[in-house]
Amino acid sequence: MLPSTRKDFVSLTLSESGSYSNSKQWRRQSCWRKWKQLSRLQRSLILLTLMLLLVCGIATSPTLIGHWRGMNGDDVKNSFVVDLKNEYRSILPEPPSERKDFDRRGAFGLEKLLQGKVNVSGVLGDQNHGLDLKNADKGSEGQKPIISWRGAVIEEEQASDTDTKDTENQGDPASLALAESRLEAVREAFRHAWKGYKDFAWGHDELKPISKSYGEWFGLGLTLIDALDTMWILGLQEEFAEAREWVAKELSFDKNVDVNLFESTIRILGGLLSTYHLTGDNLFLDKAKEIGFRLMPAFSTPSKIPYSDVNIGKGTAHPPRWTSDSTVAEVTSIQLEFRELSRLTGDPKYKLAVMEVMKQVHKLDGKQDGLVPMFINTNNGLFTHQGIYTLGARADSYYEYLLKQWIQGGRIEQELLEDYLQAVEGVKKNLLKKSTPLGLTFVGELSHGHFSPKMDHLVCFLPGTLALGVHYGLPADHMELAKQLIETCYQMYAQMETGLSPEIAHFNMHDGSTQDVDVKIADRHNLLRPETVESLFYLYRLTRDKKYQQWGWEILQNFNKYTRVPTGGYTSINNVRDPSYTSPRDKMESFFLGETLKYFYLLFSEDPTLISLDKYVFNTEAHPLPVWPQAE
Ligand code: DMJ
């Protein structure tokens, strides 16, 4: 007993003295004693439980799983974040700034499409239309590297050049000072135009600056609405505030008036939607909802191809008096706006109506290599007046909106991309020629197999659209074509005596001609149109080549020299060939404020985040609408 008692005593004493190793030893001995006292069954059960706990612990450890999959701890954490985001993706749109995977997805989709590895079965149907889709389900092995338009082989993640990456020439004080003086010149031009509108045409559709009066088209304050987002972008707060007040107090769509569906969609609905997005002011959304709703009767036709005109007061619609046809560009260039209206209202009827038009046009016979005729019948939904193909009036923005809808919708509607790519090939094959003596590349027209070297100023939207496509990963040679065409559009200004482009140019193709551009007497007018300035903006934003700004600056100075009316406003002119007698037309189109001056401002801005091309897509009236988060 004594030794044992002594032992216990000693053990206890040591324990109280705080000796860690001895206390541990004591606990181990005591545990061991207890373990020995258990039955064999009890011991087995405890061992089994411990084994189970060990296995569960290993299975749920992120670090260990990551190790097995070859990831580090951060990767593992991120994979959980991604899972969480996926779970909520359908509810919460991703903020644009977080969309790091933005470029990768578009370029990846394109790469697959160009390789014929995409199963084309999106919203519009299942036809393949000329692209080699034979290997549709062979997987992604052996993908070709993506070539950027600058000619570099780039990783999938970088396949789409973003404007925010390229900052050459932006920072130096001289460039910034020059940019600021040009931006101020645009603001000054806007204020001058606005003064004329305010003094003589306030609340009416268009200013007639020479007669100091106004013209009415729909009676809806067209110039004021078209100019809203331009004022916001130019930072003209006072002017914006007075215009907003007019919208709040005076603008009413409850009017017995016929409006053109296309024009009121791109100018009014587009202008209100973009102003809502830029300002967050619900006034503009409410007005957009109202005009969108009132335009819907246009789609009640036997074919669902909309009529050209709607009475927004009576809720009736009709084609023009002389025909039951609509213009192809008109019925296919209202989609960005109505799709956005559906997104904002949660009501699919707007999007369904306009996508039905795209679906039908996608499937129609009568195209030539992706090029569309100019008219479509509202009774039977077929193309009419077939055999004439142009990128100018009545067809132009069909091509623009193919690309832009694809961008707006997150680049998942493959038929839109497919039709766009096919059309660009169609342009190259059928409409591109070179002029003499300078060898300018121009886009002519085809009439029943006969080529005409006639190019509308309207076609000058094309270089900008091609460049935008390349920004989103489309083939590098589109940028080369864009650069050639913008040179041609610039020459349409530079070769005129006033330095301003005619409405239509004819290009010389015969040896011995001394000037590339010829103008017919009936085509010598200039309506203050935006297309060349628009394309200069895209080309500068995406290449940072200063010559595009310089060309734009020359054009702005010539507008000031030949179209500015001293008492306020700018006017269309009849004759760009005679600097001493331009023959003013006494009309300032609403797109001069909505588009031309806005694109001048964006062209001279060195800030690529000012209406970033990654976040916004411009409608055909220069109203920026958001690019949707991918999930929508
Ligand atoms: C504008 O209304 C639009 O840009 C449309 O797409 C074409 N016509 C004018 C500008 O020229």
Side-chain angles (χ1 to χ4, degrees):
M1 281 296 286
L2 187 62
S4 143
T5 311
R6 195 180 293 146
K7 193 181 166 191
D8 284 347
F9 174 76
V10 170
S11 168
L12 189 64
T13 308
L14 288 174
S15 170
E16 278 173 356
S17 75
S19 162
Y20 173 71
S21 63
N22 280 344
S23 106
K24 225 167 99 182
Q25 197 180 2
W26 177 79
R27 271 202 304 271
R28 219 183 290 139
Q29 284 170 353
S30 148
C31 282
W32 180 243
R33 217 176 297 130
K34 282 184 185 145
W35 176 253
K36 295 276 256 179
Q37 286 164 1
L38 295 174
S39 70
R40 187 171 293 175
L41 179 67
Q42 284 172 317
R43 282 191 222 156
S44 305
L45 280 172
I46 290 171
L47 282 174
L48 194 68
T49 311
L50 285 173
M51 291 276 285
L52 277 172
L53 286 173
L54 188 68
V55 169
C56 289
I58 290 171
T60 53
S61 159
T63 314
L64 281 172
I65 298 172
H67 183 68
W68 288 340
R69 289 183 187 165
M71 291 192 266
N72 63 29
D74 281 347
D75 290 337
V76 176
K77 262 185 260 156
N78 290 340
S79 81
F80 279 84
V81 173
V82 168
D83 284 344
L84 200 67
K85 274 192 182 163
N86 283 339
E87 197 177 323
Y88 288 98
R89 185 156 286 184
S90 56
I91 308 169
L92 300 174
E94 273 177 290
S97 57
E98 287 180 18
R99 292 160 59 201
K100 298 264 159 51
D101 50 350
F102 192 72
D103 296 330
R104 184 179 62 76
R105 282 190 290 237
F108 181 66
L110 171 71
E111 176 73 358
K112 290 202 155 200
L113 182 66
L114 293 174
Q115 288 179 35
K117 287 177 181 168
V118 167
N119 187 6
V120 178
S121 59
V123 289
L124 300 183
D126 290 311
Q127 297 180 17
N128 293 341
H129 285 271
L131 286 170
D132 172 20
L133 301 171
K134 271 182 253 155
N135 301 318
D137 47 8
K138 279 194 185 159
S140 59
E141 260 176 52
Q143 285 183 13
K144 282 180 249 156
I146 297 167
I147 313 292
S148 86
W149 63 267
R150 291 194 177 91
V153 178
I154 47 182
E155 298 298 319
E156 207 175 78
E157 286 78 10
Q158 302 163 337
S160 181
D161 289 303
T162 66
D163 45 35
T164 48
K165 270 189 257 165
D166 193 345
T167 53
E168 299 159 35
N169 300 334
Q170 274 186 56
D172 65 288
S175 290
L176 291 176
L178 180 66
E180 185 41 44
S181 69
R182 288 176 172 178
L183 292 172
E184 184 47 36
V186 181
R187 281 187 219 107
E188 193 281 323
F190 186 97
R191 284 196 202 95
H192 183 78
W194 192 248
K195 177 186 165 5
Y197 179 73
K198 206 176 147 184
D199 289 351
F200 311 121
W202 185 248
H204 297 285
D205 283 342
E206 285 155 349
L207 168 68
K208 295 173 88 172
I210 309 284
S211 57
K212 301 194 183 75
S213 60
Y214 58 82
E216 219 66 290
W217 190 5
F218 309 143
L220 297 173
L222 211 53
T223 295
L224 188 149
I225 298 174
D226 226 358
L228 283 167
D229 57 5
T230 305
M231 289 183 266
W232 186 263
I233 291 166
L234 269 57
L236 302 175
Q237 295 173 6
E238 260 175 49
E239 291 83 351
F240 181 84
E242 61 197 0
R244 185 206 180 274
E245 199 179 333
W246 183 87
V247 173
K249 294 190 177 150
E250 306 289 335
L251 178 60
S252 167
F253 296 127
D254 191 10
K255 278 188 168 177
N256 178 9
V257 60
D258 275 1
V259 303
N260 174 282
L261 170 70
F262 163 74
E263 298 291 356
S264 48
T265 298
I266 65 169
R267 300 185 199 212
I268 300 175
L269 179 57
L272 292 167
L273 287 173
S274 71
T275 308
Y276 164 67
H277 278 294
L278 294 176
T279 63
D281 185 339
N282 277 322
L283 166 70
F284 302 108
L285 178 58
D286 291 343
K287 292 290 180 188
K289 285 180 189 170
E290 190 186 344
I291 186 68
F293 181 80
R294 286 174 182 272
L295 291 171
M296 286 306 281
F299 295 91
S300 300
T301 69
S303 65
K304 297 187 181 164
I305 301 297
Y307 290 133
S308 58
D309 297 283
V310 195
N311 187 303
I312 54 172
K314 290 187 192 160
T316 55
H318 59 87
R321 236 170 279 129
W322 59 92
T323 177
S324 54
D325 290 350
S326 285
T327 300
V328 170
E330 291 195 359
V331 301
T332 56
S333 311
I334 49 179
Q335 279 65 19
L336 292 177
E337 299 82 356
F338 279 99
R339 282 155 54 108
E340 179 60 15
L341 190 59
S342 270
R343 194 177 77 103
L344 290 172
T345 59
D347 185 340
K349 71 168 175 270
Y350 305 107
K351 178 174 177 176
L352 289 174
V354 294
M355 293 319 284
E356 171 65 23
V357 180
M358 295 312 295
K359 190 175 167 181
Q360 291 193 35
V361 172
H362 176 73
K363 289 183 188 156
L364 274 184
D365 288 335
K367 291 182 202 153
Q368 174 145 351
D369 303 312
L371 305 176
V372 289
M374 297 188 290
F375 297 99
I376 186 165
N377 190 269
T378 51
N379 290 325
N380 60 25
L382 300 175
F383 288 131
T384 65
H385 302 83
Q386 294 193 36
I388 302 176
Y389 302 99
T390 173
L391 264 274
R394 302 184 197 285
D396 49 357
S397 42
Y398 159 73
Y399 304 100
E400 180 187 348
Y401 268 37
L402 286 175
L403 178 77
K404 288 183 173 179
Q405 288 175 77
W406 176 70
I407 292 170
Q408 176 191 45
R411 291 165 288 155
I412 52 178
E413 296 152 291
Q414 296 295 330
E415 292 83 353
L416 296 167
L417 174 61
E418 185 189 327
D419 286 354
Y420 175 75
L421 290 171
Q422 205 185 356
V424 174
E425 292 311 307
V427 170
K428 288 191 212 162
K429 182 175 165 194
N430 299 287
L431 304 181
L432 280 192
K433 295 270 190 245
K434 297 239 184 225
S435 67
T436 51
L438 293 183
L440 302 173
T441 303
F442 68 93
V443 183
E445 296 184 356
L446 204 59
S447 177
H448 306 287
H450 175 78
F451 181 81
S452 161
K454 163 181 178 278
M455 178 167 157
D456 293 355
H457 182 272
L458 288 169
V459 181
C460 290
F461 81 93
L462 186 59
T465 297
L466 288 168
L468 178 66
V470 176
H471 176 65
Y472 276 97
L474 301 194
D477 69 309
H478 288 202
M479 183 58 96
E480 291 317 310
L481 180 56
K483 288 178 178 176
Q484 289 172 24
L485 290 174
I486 191 61
E487 169 89 37
T488 305
C489 291
Y490 168 65
Q491 287 297 330
M492 284 165 64
Y493 285 71
Q495 294 196 8
M496 296 300 105
E497 289 74 359
T498 56
L500 291 175
S501 170
E503 176 72 359
I504 299 170
H506 282 77
F507 285 86
N508 285 317
M509 293 173 67
H510 49 268
D511 291 339
S513 46
T514 52
Q515 200 178 29
D516 299 74
V517 183
D518 258 355
V519 186
K520 299 204 182 304
I521 288 181
D523 304 333
R524 291 183 308 189
H525 49 290
N526 180 298
L527 305 183
L528 312 171
R529 284 196 191 277
E531 290 77 16
T532 296
V533 188
E534 169 186 353
S535 285
L536 288 170
F537 154 66
Y538 283 106
L539 267 288
Y540 180 67
R541 183 66 75 89
L542 298 174
T543 69
R544 295 278 154 190
D545 185 336
K546 294 274 182 190
K547 81 176 173 212
Y548 300 123
Q549 287 184 323
Q550 186 53 34
W551 292 353
W553 182 240
E554 286 170 27
I555 294 171
L556 178 60
Q557 285 174 308
N558 290 325
F559 275 132
N560 274 329
K561 198 162 169 190
Y562 295 107
T563 70
R564 186 174 165 116
V565 180
T567 45
Y570 288 73
T571 179
S572 305
I573 55 174
N574 273 319
N575 189 0
V576 295
R577 305 231 63 167
D578 187 350
S580 62
Y581 185 61
T582 55
S583 177
R585 280 195 163 191
D586 194 18
K587 182 166 173 170
M588 184 174 78
E589 300 271 358
S590 78
F591 52 69
F592 183 64
L593 299 192
E595 295 193 73
T596 313
L597 291 180
K598 184 188 289 151
Y599 282 131
F600 269 127
Y601 192 83
L602 294 171
L603 166 64
F604 299 138
S605 169
E606 297 294 357
D607 178 3
T609 66
L610 181 62
I611 317 294
S612 162
L613 293 178
D614 293 328
K615 293 178 184 163
Y616 292 96
V617 59
F618 289 89
N619 85 340
T620 193
E621 189 76 5
H623 298 303
L625 298 173
V627 173
W628 299 342
Q630 195 97 48
E632 291 179 63

